[in-house]
Amino acid sequence: MKNKMVIVGGQPLYGSVRISGAKNAGLVLIAASIMAEGETILDNVPRICDVEVMIEILNSMGVKSGWNEDGSLSIRPPAGDMGIKTPDEMAKKLRASNLFLGALLGRQGEAAVSMPGGCDIGSRPMDLHLKGAQALGAEVEIEHGYIYARTKAPAGSRVYLDFPSVGATENIMMMASKTPGQTIIENAAKEPEIVDLANFLNSMGGKVRGAGTDIIKIEGVPVLKAVHYGIIPDRIEAGTYMIAAAITGGEIQVENIIPTHLHPIIAKLQETGAIISETEQGLLVKAGERILPADIKTMPYPGFPTDMQSQMIALLSLAEGTSVVVENVFENRFQIIDEFIRMGAKIKLEGRSAIVEGTPHLFGARVKATDLRAGAALVLSALAASGTTIIDDAIHIFRGYESIEEKLRSLGAIIK
Ligand code: UD1
């Protein structure tokens, strides 16, 4: 499989780019589909490696799923019981495989989910997911790297999350949708992907209220019926192309987006001097005369997304002045800093903060993608740098960005 990207930098990018469906909505909706009776059809699912792994996991558990000619994804679980175990080697590649915990418990009261892998961006415990499952009546054991969970008398309950974890909120929403009685999630995650999951469950006959606020109430229903549903656009992919305009001195229109989902990103990009306007098709982003420094703190939604932190550092490394970026969600997200420094960036780490002293130029270098978003950030630095950058381990980038090479080339990037 292709694992390298070679970028010749220095070209301002111009044009329009169509944003794909949201990776994080696609992954959870695929898991949730196993709870429905009949064939679910999902539109706008991005064709990325993470989704392909999710489909492999489905098929290994006895679900029939695959792409249709019109680009939609069909998911048809068996009428009777299906496999309850996510295969270890696939699940290790993809943290989102943990979303089968809530979906399987909701569907048939039993799940064996591999302790997940995915991006190496920090400790990613499962305690809140398990707390939720247990509150709704599951007995949980962890053995040989697997979480085994089974419900005997499932019943709705109140669950307080110590941190508004996206995955834990989603697992509880799925399980609760088929658990008798009312479940209340307090301090729930408020990300747009949570709202998309609630809309999806409700379209299937579920009863979820309050998604998008920090209290979500779910009434369990006995049956969920398969539907045809289109997932929301990817706000992180959109944000990445918006920075591509700002960092290369170009002008890019991002199309097929929901502007309100992008407010935290728009606000910070404007602080750095980018000029952003709403158009009929989406958002037009024009680089400012100069890149200005900005301070950033990552937070759960509607705060600034941790998934945009690395890309923002790429931009700030070329600002006229010093920025402070604080990472509050995943502690290892700064692993990429050494790669930026290889390209000429001036960045110092102090605990959870990166002090980014802007420099006028970056230079092409041989660098390595350490995780998905870090890889995207290296692409951005490479587009702005003089000379050629070789990005190794680019597989991380393909995990989350649909047709990234084609999209960048259509905007004028030179990618070999
Ligand atoms: C999801 C997104 C990921 C994004 C992240 C934060 C998907 C597939 N992935 O990941 O792109 O970066 O949200 O917006 O949707 N935590 C615990 N205990 C738990 C669960 C989480 O302490 O049981 C902590 C984590 O260590 C982390 C924080 O909560 O510090 C946020 O994690 P969480 O929101 O759960 O992220 P994911 O759902 O894994």
Side-chain angles (χ1 to χ4, degrees), residues 32 41 44-45 56 63 80 84 93 96 102 134 147 156 182 209 216 221 226 228 241 263 265 283 332 344 355 399:
I41 299 178
N44 211 27
V45 178
E56 275 179 50
V63 178
I84 53 141
K93 286 192 210 159
Q134 283 164 329
I147 298 167
Q182 187 184 58
R209 282 179 296 140
I216 302 180
V221 296
H228 188 157
Y241 284 99
H263 279 173
I265 299 168
L283 285 174
N332 284 1
I355 319 295
R399 278 189 38 213

Side-chain angles (χ1 to χ4, degrees), residues 99-112:
L99 296 168
F100 284 113
L101 178 69
L104 281 165
L105 283 172
R107 181 192 154 90
Q108 57 197 55
E110 203 176 356

Side-chain angles (χ1 to χ4, degrees), residues 2 5 17-21 45-49 237 241 379 397-411 415:
K2 199 167 54 166
M5 258 175 106
V17 63
R18 193 185 148 78
I19 299 307
S20 301
V45 178
R47 302 230 14 190
I48 51 176
C49 299
E237 189 198 13
Y241 284 99
V379 170
I397 305 167
F398 307 128
R399 278 189 38 213
Y401 287 86
E402 184 174 52
S403 311
I404 184 166
E405 292 167 304
E406 292 78 3
K407 287 186 184 184
L408 286 173
R409 272 197 205 108
S410 78
L411 297 168
I415 301 182

Side-chain angles (χ1 to χ4, degrees), residues 23-25 27-28 50 94-99 121-131 161-170 189 191 193 235-236 299-301 305-307 327-331 333 352 372-373:
K23 169 178 89 73
N24 289 349
L27 296 174
V28 71
D50 274 9
L94 179 62
R95 170 154 174 102
S97 59
N98 68 13
L99 296 168
I121 55 178
S123 141
R124 298 183 94 171
M126 290 288 292
D127 55 321
L128 300 173
H129 302 245
L130 302 185
K131 180 178 172 181
L161 297 180
D162 305 85
F163 186 92
S165 154
V166 173
T169 303
E170 292 171 342
E191 270 68 4
E193 293 74 20
R235 62 201 164 96
I236 307 300
M299 301 281 244
Y301 191 85
T306 175
D307 283 350
E327 175 55 57
N328 288 313
V329 183
F330 288 115
E331 69 279 9
R333 273 241 151 115
R352 283 186 170 255
L372 162 58
R373 304 304 171 186

Side-chain angles (χ1 to χ4, degrees), residues 379-398:
V379 170
L380 293 171
S381 292
L383 290 168
S386 53
T388 301
T389 297
I390 301 172
I391 305 176
D392 289 317
D393 288 357
I395 184 77
H396 285 295
I397 305 167
F398 307 128

Side-chain angles (χ1 to χ4, degrees), residues 350-369:
E350 284 178 16
R352 283 186 170 255
S353 303
I355 319 295
V356 187
E357 191 191 324
T359 162
H361 302 291
L362 295 175
F363 307 95
R366 184 151 195 161
V367 290
K368 198 162 108 178

